[in-house]
Amino acid sequence: VVALPYHAAAERDLVVVAFARRGGTLGIVRMPRLAPEADSAADSSSVRGHNVALVLEDVRTHEPTSRAAVAARTGLARASLTTIVPELIAAGLLRDSSAALGSRGGRPVSPIEFDGSGFGVIAVEVTVSDIAVESVDLAGRTLRADSRAHGRPLADPESIVAVATRLIRRHLDFLANTSVHFELAVIVMPAPLIGSPPIVMASSDLGWRTVDLVGLIVAEVPELEGRALLVNDANVAVIAESRALAADLGAPATDLVYLKSLTGIGGAVISGGRLIGGANGVGFEPGHVLVRPGGRSCVCGRNGCFFAEAGPEAVLETAGLGELAASAGVAVAVSELVNRAHAGDPKALQALRNVGEILQAVIVDLRLMFDPQCVVLGGYWADVFDDFRIRDDLGLADSHTLKVAWSEIDAGRISPFVVPGRLGARAARAGAIRFAIDMLLAEPLSFGR
Ligand SMILES: [Zn+2]
């Protein structure tokens, strides 16, 4: 770990850079110095906020735990903890735990754990067919969940907003009736977002051009003013999948490519522990990259896009499910495709193998571009992963230069290299909830206000 002065003139902040042993940056954190100028009220309050967040994060990670263990891990003085812990208990973010942690020098240890049951986050997930709304507390426990079909009213955000606001109101009432303080709503869209605060750039699934979705919802539910975030589904899904993968591996998943298909094709990349956003937040939209020059025409106006060649509509047509998709919707037809593949239906399996071939080529390209530890396939692709028969050596011949080179530099890679997502269709919502909670808990002194 190397610490460098971040701002030479003020010398108030530090940048901590962690390097992996084989080179490459693991993470960069800008943090206030822990010993502030005595006469600077602003500094001292930001350091305090930082220390409070540090304690909270440590207890969340290690609960149930003792005050002494928190002090040892965070490097904070026991005296600081004797003020911070009671304050967090009074705020409803920590509580005394009934777990037994043994004794210390003959005195019983009184453990603490994370609480957060008095504060609520509402996650709103818009898909091509439904709106799902889930209320959770800050420990991520589900308090209530509802889902409604919105009937896919093409090019008509208002009627989708109407369904969403009805459900959100019901959840706000529910939280109020159960004495849970509403903190934040996080709205998940399967579409590229642009700008700050973000708006929907376009949705080919819903026939939208730019739509200020949060603005439309806040106009109907003013309680959400300043308390609503809009996130892209794949961007939060990759966060959830990277944590699930890291928990399984017992090692950080800092470099991942996530590709998913449900009613379209989406994806996200984590590189060096950071989500790739690009200059405008639309840095990785794999659905419209070219996979076959002069191929099928695509909704975006080009030909031979990944979506046009291997998206759900193309696959359903090959599998003989085009009519079902037209009458019952793509989502219903995709789940029928999965059922048929599992039952061994030859047309369904052939359609999936066609996708598998294209996926394999796309994955080789992505490996060349991002050098990920592994590629995670989500959405329905996770359910039919075995049917793709994607080879871990990516189908390259033994003499292939790339294969030879990769086999020599496999140090950072996770085996197998291509894996199905752990969280299935819930990945986006789970990631959005986690993202919202982490954001709130990063500033624990502003709670309940
Ligand atoms: Zn396209």
Side-chain angles (χ1 to χ4, degrees):
V1 177
V2 182
L4 306 162
Y6 177 70
H7 197 291
E11 284 195 0
R12 279 205 297 253
D13 294 343
L14 297 179
V15 174
V16 177
V17 187
F19 292 98
R21 207 168 359 147
R22 288 198 182 83
T25 313
L26 279 181
I28 301 178
V29 185
R30 175 173 170 269
M31 57 194 297
R33 260 215 308 228
L34 294 181
E37 314 291 322
D39 58 355
S40 165
D43 269 8
S44 126
S45 114
S46 100
V47 169
R48 226 179 103 56
H50 170 79
N51 289 349
V52 172
L54 195 64
V55 170
L56 196 55
E57 182 55 30
D58 185 79
V59 177
R60 275 174 88 201
T61 311
H62 300 282
E63 65 173 355
T65 186
S66 69
R67 289 160 177 81
V70 175
R73 282 188 299 260
T74 58
L76 292 172
R78 288 294 303 271
S80 307
L81 287 176
T82 56
T83 58
I84 291 173
V85 169
E87 192 179 3
L88 285 170
I89 289 176
L93 295 175
L94 294 184
R95 64 186 170 204
D96 291 310
S97 166
S98 54
L101 287 186
S103 65
R104 188 182 153 86
R107 285 180 302 140
V109 172
S110 51
I112 44 176
E113 62 189 15
F114 182 69
D115 182 3
S117 57
F119 305 98
V121 166
I122 299 179
V124 182
E125 185 176 11
V126 181
T127 70
V128 73
S129 55
D130 298 281
I131 291 177
V133 178
E134 183 172 340
S135 287
V136 299
D137 69 11
L138 293 189
R141 289 175 286 246
T142 301
L143 306 173
R144 177 182 174 134
D146 294 280
S147 163
R148 291 282 175 283
H150 56 54
R152 201 182 179 189
L154 284 177
D156 176 14
E158 278 78 12
S159 59
I160 286 184
V161 166
V163 177
T165 52
R166 265 202 304 280
L167 286 173
I168 292 168
R169 287 217 159 282
R170 199 170 299 167
H171 277 248
L172 286 172
D173 290 346
F174 166 79
L175 292 178
N177 291 338
T178 48
S179 301
V180 174
H181 191 273
F182 165 69
E183 290 292 334
L184 193 64
V186 56
I187 299 158
V188 190
M189 261 307 286
L193 311 177
I194 195 160
S196 176
I199 61 172
V200 177
M201 184 183 173
S203 165
S204 46
D205 284 345
L206 296 170
W208 293 4
R209 296 197 171 208
T210 53
V211 172
D212 178 8
L213 188 58
V214 169
L216 290 173
I217 290 176
V218 169
E220 299 297 320
V221 192
E223 297 97 307
L224 263 53
E225 177 76 55
R227 288 177 182 260
L229 296 173
L230 182 64
V231 296
N232 167 271
D233 65 339
N235 284 358
V236 285
V238 75
I239 296 174
E241 291 288 5
S242 75
R243 286 174 191 271
L245 197 59
D248 281 4
L249 296 170
T254 54
D255 292 83
L256 293 185
V257 167
Y258 177 70
L259 290 173
K260 66 133 202 184
S261 180
L262 218 46
T263 53
I265 289 180
V269 175
I270 292 183
S271 182
R274 283 172 169 266
L275 192 66
I276 290 194
N280 301 293
V282 287
F284 187 72
E285 287 297 333
H288 299 282
V289 299
L290 187 69
V291 297
R292 185 166 292 153
R296 292 163 176 250
S297 69
C298 182
V299 287
C300 73
R302 304 207 319 166
N303 287 75
C305 292
F306 191 13
F307 173 74
E309 298 292 335
E313 271 141 32
V315 182
L316 291 168
E317 199 185 302
T318 314
L321 287 163
E323 276 179 30
L324 182 65
S327 62
V330 173
V332 170
V334 164
S335 76
E336 177 60 20
L337 172 72
V338 173
N339 291 340
R340 287 192 186 184
H342 290 169
D345 177 84
K347 278 178 95 173
L349 289 173
Q350 188 51 52
L352 292 175
R353 296 213 177 107
N354 294 348
V355 178
E357 260 175 47
I358 297 173
L359 256 175
Q360 193 123 34
V362 168
I363 289 169
V364 174
D365 287 351
L366 291 171
R367 185 164 193 196
L368 288 167
M369 283 188 252
F370 296 105
D371 185 20
Q373 292 163 290
C374 76
V375 174
V376 181
L377 299 184
Y380 89 89
W381 286 349
D383 299 328
V384 295
F385 184 77
D386 292 337
D387 299 312
F388 287 145
R389 300 186 183 169
I390 287 180
R391 294 166 49 144
D392 204 43
D393 60 12
L394 303 180
L396 302 171
D398 282 339
S399 61
H400 201 291
T401 320
L402 283 178
K403 186 172 171 180
V404 173
W406 277 333
S407 65
E408 284 171 11
I409 54 156
D410 264 349
R413 95 169 218 180
I414 288 168
S415 185
F417 182 67
V418 186
V419 296
R422 265 81 170 149
L423 302 170
R426 212 188 122 71
R429 214 182 320 155
I433 287 168
R434 177 78 197 211
F435 179 74
I437 291 174
D438 284 352
M439 206 176 118
L440 287 167
L441 294 179
E443 300 209 17
L445 295 179
S446 59
F447 258 81
R449 286 177 194 160

